[in-house]
Amino acid sequence: MAIAIAALPCTACGERPEASGATASAKGLAALAEAQPRGATAVGWRVLDGLGVPAWLFYPAVLTEPATSLPVIQKTLPDGYSLALRRRFGAVAAATLVAAPGHALPDAAMADGVHPLLVFAPGAGMGGRDYRLFVEALAAQGYAVALLRPTGSPAASDVRYSESADEIGNALENLRKMAGLQEGKGRIEATTPVLIGHSLGGTASVLAATRTGVCAINIDGDFGGASVTSRPSGPVLYVIGDPSLDRASDVARRAEVWRTVSGRSGGRALALGIAGMRHFDIADAANLPLDLIPPDRREGRFGNIGGANARRVMVDLVVQFAGYCQSSGGLPLSAALRLPPEARSTFGH
């Protein structure tokens, strides 16, 4: 029995330009199009049903025809998703992001081989679709990535941390059941998954890892709500932005919480700061030309590392960390990872 994946209705999901009063920027679309995933295979994209939460699947795919000849199919995204993008990044950037087709092939056959599972949770108020370039890059490296809440997630609140962790844990449980029913030469390996998330999705991933015993990566998420009680016993990687760009009091507060959260993981927990990186540099918006995002919505949100370099660093770290988890992690995590030049151990580890 094949894994339960619904047929894909679209790849270039976008709203009509008049809905936001702005049209997509040609140079912005070109910049996003140039961010091709680098890897040994093409990338496929499908709607993933049966997880208890909306999800898409990105995976290594078989390219059966030239990508330029594939049809571009569009549909309207939920109004709330487009509105959230406009509020966060401005009308022109939002129109460009919703119109961008991405690089994944609709409903393509999965490439032969075993593809380790990653589960990605977006930040509060964001959609998994906001990180397509990052997720496509991971799929091109051979991973199957379940992207949760692709068209929007609830706003941050004290209860949302636990709710998100519940969603992640339930999705993982259902993915493992589905993986056990797979047939065919292309398969998802769900015995050693890695939970990954950005912002609130990152802290919720660590909380879900505490409950499920799997590995987790928190990308620049502040621990809040129930997530401050996280005590994962397995490997955890905490990747923050450049500490030198933040207030010293904020860095000290995050360091204190991290020392408590990581206490049970011992040598298998590591916090890294990334030079020049800020909170939204992992999102697709970081790849847009600077002038498409108003200065007041760029200031303090994006660093000088650039979207392409932030993505390169994060993909490198995810691949190494996932390999560490698959090998049972005998060495301390700090000794097992070959850190890219931009990464520095922080918070006293």
Side-chain angles (χ1 to χ4, degrees):
M1 183 176 188
I3 190 167
I5 302 170
L8 174 69
C10 70
T11 54
C13 297
E15 64 174 7
R16 297 179 185 276
E18 61 267 25
S20 68
T23 56
S25 162
K27 67 179 181 180
L29 290 172
L32 296 174
E34 288 173 2
Q36 290 277 354
R38 310 290 183 187
T41 69
V43 176
W45 185 82
R46 301 178 185 177
V47 172
L48 183 58
D49 286 333
L51 299 192
V53 64
W56 293 348
L57 182 71
F58 289 78
Y59 55 93
V62 177
L63 180 59
T64 57
E65 58 182 303
T68 54
S69 70
L70 290 170
V72 177
I73 309 167
Q74 296 194 16
K75 75 168 187 176
T76 302
L77 289 166
D79 289 341
Y81 173 71
S82 303
L83 179 60
L85 278 175
R86 292 198 297 273
R87 287 173 173 168
R88 185 170 285 115
F89 301 125
V92 175
T96 305
L97 290 166
V98 297
H103 304 94
L105 310 178
D107 206 25
M110 185 174 290
D112 290 353
V114 177
H115 310 299
L117 175 66
L118 309 176
V119 181
F120 184 88
M126 299 185 72
R129 187 183 184 275
D130 298 338
Y131 310 85
R132 280 187 302 170
L133 295 178
F134 176 51
V135 170
E136 288 171 346
L138 291 171
Q141 296 298 316
Y143 295 92
V145 188
L147 185 68
L148 305 186
R149 290 194 170 271
T151 60
S153 58
S157 67
D158 281 346
V159 299
R160 181 58 194 154
Y161 293 89
S162 185
E163 290 174 350
S164 181
D166 287 341
E167 290 177 356
I168 296 166
N170 290 336
L172 176 60
E173 180 181 359
N174 289 321
L175 282 161
R176 282 175 152 170
K177 291 177 181 177
M178 292 176 180
L181 301 175
Q182 293 176 100
E183 295 177 353
K185 295 181 179 179
R187 302 166 63 84
I188 297 173
E189 190 279 307
T191 57
T192 55
V194 178
L195 308 179
I196 309 172
H198 174 240
S199 196
L200 187 147
T203 58
S205 293
V206 177
L207 180 56
T210 299
R211 299 170 176 175
T212 60
V214 302
C215 298
I217 300 176
N218 175 5
I219 304 175
D220 207 38
D222 266 350
F223 289 92
S227 74
V228 299
T229 67
S230 301
R231 302 293 185 272
S233 58
V236 180
L237 182 62
Y238 187 17
V239 182
I240 67 170
D242 190 333
S244 70
L245 301 177
D246 292 330
R247 291 180 300 183
S249 59
D250 288 340
V251 175
R253 172 183 52 81
R254 296 178 89 175
E256 182 178 359
V257 174
W258 171 245
R259 280 191 289 270
T260 302
V261 167
S262 63
R264 287 183 61 201
S265 290
R268 298 193 297 169
L270 180 64
L272 297 176
I274 308 299
M277 190 169 110
R278 302 207 77 158
H279 194 64
F280 286 107
D281 281 319
I282 195 61
D284 290 2
N287 297 268
L288 294 172
L290 293 176
D291 61 345
L292 295 192
I293 301 177
D296 64 327
R297 303 186 194 190
R298 177 172 286 278
E299 183 67 27
R301 295 179 167 186
F302 300 92
N304 59 18
I305 189 173
N309 282 329
R311 185 168 62 256
R312 170 185 55 79
V313 169
M314 283 308 311
V315 169
D316 182 14
L317 290 173
V318 170
V319 169
Q320 290 193 63
F321 181 76
Y324 176 83
C325 294
Q326 291 164 2
S327 68
S328 301
L331 290 172
L333 184 55
S334 58
L337 299 186
R338 300 180 307 279
L339 299 184
E342 298 86 350
R344 294 288 186 274
S345 179
T346 189
F347 294 165
H349 286 279

